[in-house]
Short mmCIF file of all heavy atoms in Angstrom, two decimals:
data_model
loop_
_atom_site.label_atom_id
_atom_site.label_comp_id
_atom_site.label_asym_id
_atom_site.label_seq_id
_atom_site.Cartn_x
_atom_site.Cartn_y
_atom_site.Cartn_z
N GLU A 6 -3.82 15.36 1.34
CA GLU A 6 -4.69 14.27 0.96
C GLU A 6 -6.21 14.64 1.15
O GLU A 6 -6.47 15.42 2.02
CB GLU A 6 -4.41 13.01 1.72
CG GLU A 6 -2.94 12.54 1.63
CD GLU A 6 -2.11 12.93 2.86
OE1 GLU A 6 -2.45 13.98 3.41
OE2 GLU A 6 -1.16 12.27 3.25
N SER A 7 -7.01 13.96 0.39
CA SER A 7 -8.45 14.07 0.50
C SER A 7 -9.10 12.86 0.02
O SER A 7 -8.42 12.07 -0.79
CB SER A 7 -9.00 15.35 -0.12
OG SER A 7 -8.72 15.28 -1.53
N GLY A 8 -10.40 12.66 0.25
CA GLY A 8 -11.18 11.59 -0.35
C GLY A 8 -11.51 10.45 0.55
O GLY A 8 -12.18 9.54 0.10
N GLY A 9 -10.97 10.42 1.78
CA GLY A 9 -11.24 9.32 2.66
C GLY A 9 -12.70 9.32 3.15
O GLY A 9 -13.42 10.31 2.90
N GLY A 10 -13.05 8.28 3.86
CA GLY A 10 -14.46 8.23 4.34
C GLY A 10 -14.77 6.86 4.88
O GLY A 10 -13.88 5.97 4.98
N LEU A 11 -16.02 6.69 5.20
CA LEU A 11 -16.54 5.43 5.72
C LEU A 11 -17.36 4.75 4.57
O LEU A 11 -18.32 5.33 4.10
CB LEU A 11 -17.46 5.69 6.94
CG LEU A 11 -18.26 4.47 7.48
CD1 LEU A 11 -17.35 3.42 7.95
CD2 LEU A 11 -19.17 4.94 8.58
N VAL A 12 -16.94 3.55 4.24
CA VAL A 12 -17.71 2.77 3.17
C VAL A 12 -17.92 1.32 3.67
O VAL A 12 -17.37 0.92 4.68
CB VAL A 12 -16.85 2.78 1.86
CG1 VAL A 12 -16.75 4.21 1.32
CG2 VAL A 12 -15.53 2.18 2.07
N GLN A 13 -18.68 0.64 2.89
CA GLN A 13 -18.91 -0.75 3.16
C GLN A 13 -17.96 -1.63 2.39
O GLN A 13 -17.45 -1.23 1.31
CB GLN A 13 -20.38 -1.14 2.87
CG GLN A 13 -21.35 -0.45 3.81
CD GLN A 13 -22.77 -0.99 3.55
OE1 GLN A 13 -23.14 -1.38 2.45
NE2 GLN A 13 -23.55 -1.03 4.60
N ALA A 14 -17.73 -2.87 2.76
CA ALA A 14 -16.94 -3.79 2.04
C ALA A 14 -17.46 -4.02 0.66
O ALA A 14 -18.71 -4.05 0.45
CB ALA A 14 -16.88 -5.13 2.80
N GLY A 15 -16.51 -3.97 -0.31
CA GLY A 15 -16.88 -4.07 -1.74
C GLY A 15 -17.08 -2.71 -2.40
O GLY A 15 -17.11 -2.64 -3.68
N ASP A 16 -17.15 -1.65 -1.68
CA ASP A 16 -17.30 -0.33 -2.27
C ASP A 16 -15.90 0.18 -2.74
O ASP A 16 -14.91 -0.45 -2.62
CB ASP A 16 -17.81 0.65 -1.22
CG ASP A 16 -19.30 0.43 -0.96
OD1 ASP A 16 -19.97 -0.31 -1.68
OD2 ASP A 16 -19.81 1.03 0.01
N SER A 17 -16.02 1.34 -3.41
CA SER A 17 -14.81 2.02 -3.95
C SER A 17 -14.67 3.41 -3.31
O SER A 17 -15.62 4.05 -2.92
CB SER A 17 -14.92 2.12 -5.41
OG SER A 17 -15.05 0.86 -6.11
N LEU A 18 -13.41 3.84 -3.32
CA LEU A 18 -13.04 5.26 -2.95
C LEU A 18 -11.93 5.73 -3.80
O LEU A 18 -11.08 4.87 -4.25
CB LEU A 18 -12.65 5.29 -1.51
CG LEU A 18 -13.70 5.52 -0.42
CD1 LEU A 18 -12.94 5.54 0.98
CD2 LEU A 18 -14.42 6.76 -0.61
N ARG A 19 -11.83 7.02 -4.03
CA ARG A 19 -10.67 7.55 -4.76
C ARG A 19 -10.08 8.60 -3.88
O ARG A 19 -10.68 9.57 -3.47
CB ARG A 19 -11.03 8.18 -6.08
CG ARG A 19 -9.75 8.55 -6.87
CD ARG A 19 -10.15 9.14 -8.21
NE ARG A 19 -10.58 10.53 -8.15
CZ ARG A 19 -10.50 11.36 -9.26
NH1 ARG A 19 -10.01 10.88 -10.44
NH2 ARG A 19 -10.94 12.59 -9.13
N LEU A 20 -8.83 8.39 -3.47
CA LEU A 20 -8.05 9.36 -2.73
C LEU A 20 -7.27 10.26 -3.64
O LEU A 20 -6.89 9.83 -4.72
CB LEU A 20 -7.09 8.67 -1.76
CG LEU A 20 -7.65 7.58 -0.80
CD1 LEU A 20 -6.58 7.10 0.06
CD2 LEU A 20 -8.84 8.13 -0.03
N SER A 21 -7.11 11.53 -3.28
CA SER A 21 -6.35 12.49 -4.00
C SER A 21 -5.26 13.06 -3.10
O SER A 21 -5.43 13.14 -1.93
CB SER A 21 -7.24 13.60 -4.50
OG SER A 21 -8.26 13.20 -5.33
N CYS A 22 -4.16 13.34 -3.76
CA CYS A 22 -3.02 14.03 -3.08
C CYS A 22 -2.55 15.20 -3.90
O CYS A 22 -2.01 15.02 -4.96
CB CYS A 22 -1.83 13.06 -2.89
SG CYS A 22 -0.36 13.84 -2.30
N ALA A 23 -2.91 16.42 -3.49
CA ALA A 23 -2.51 17.62 -4.18
C ALA A 23 -1.13 18.02 -3.71
O ALA A 23 -0.92 18.23 -2.56
CB ALA A 23 -3.58 18.70 -3.90
N ALA A 24 -0.21 18.14 -4.67
CA ALA A 24 1.17 18.52 -4.41
C ALA A 24 1.44 19.93 -4.88
O ALA A 24 1.06 20.28 -5.90
CB ALA A 24 2.11 17.51 -5.06
N SER A 25 2.26 20.61 -4.05
CA SER A 25 2.69 22.02 -4.37
C SER A 25 4.02 22.27 -3.83
O SER A 25 4.58 21.56 -3.04
CB SER A 25 1.67 23.03 -3.81
OG SER A 25 1.61 22.90 -2.44
N GLY A 26 4.66 23.39 -4.35
CA GLY A 26 5.91 23.83 -3.85
C GLY A 26 7.13 23.43 -4.66
O GLY A 26 8.23 23.87 -4.38
N ARG A 27 6.95 22.57 -5.67
CA ARG A 27 8.07 22.18 -6.46
C ARG A 27 7.63 21.89 -7.91
O ARG A 27 6.40 21.82 -8.13
CB ARG A 27 8.71 20.90 -5.94
CG ARG A 27 9.55 21.02 -4.67
CD ARG A 27 10.90 21.60 -4.94
NE ARG A 27 11.72 21.51 -3.78
CZ ARG A 27 11.68 22.30 -2.73
NH1 ARG A 27 10.84 23.33 -2.64
NH2 ARG A 27 12.55 22.15 -1.68
#
Side-chain angles (χ1 to χ4, degrees):
E6 303 98 333
S7 61
L11 172 63
V12 297
Q13 293 186 329
D16 285 351
S17 298
L18 273 178
R19 189 177 79 159
L20 305 183
S21 299
C22 172
S25 62
R27 287 284 191 279

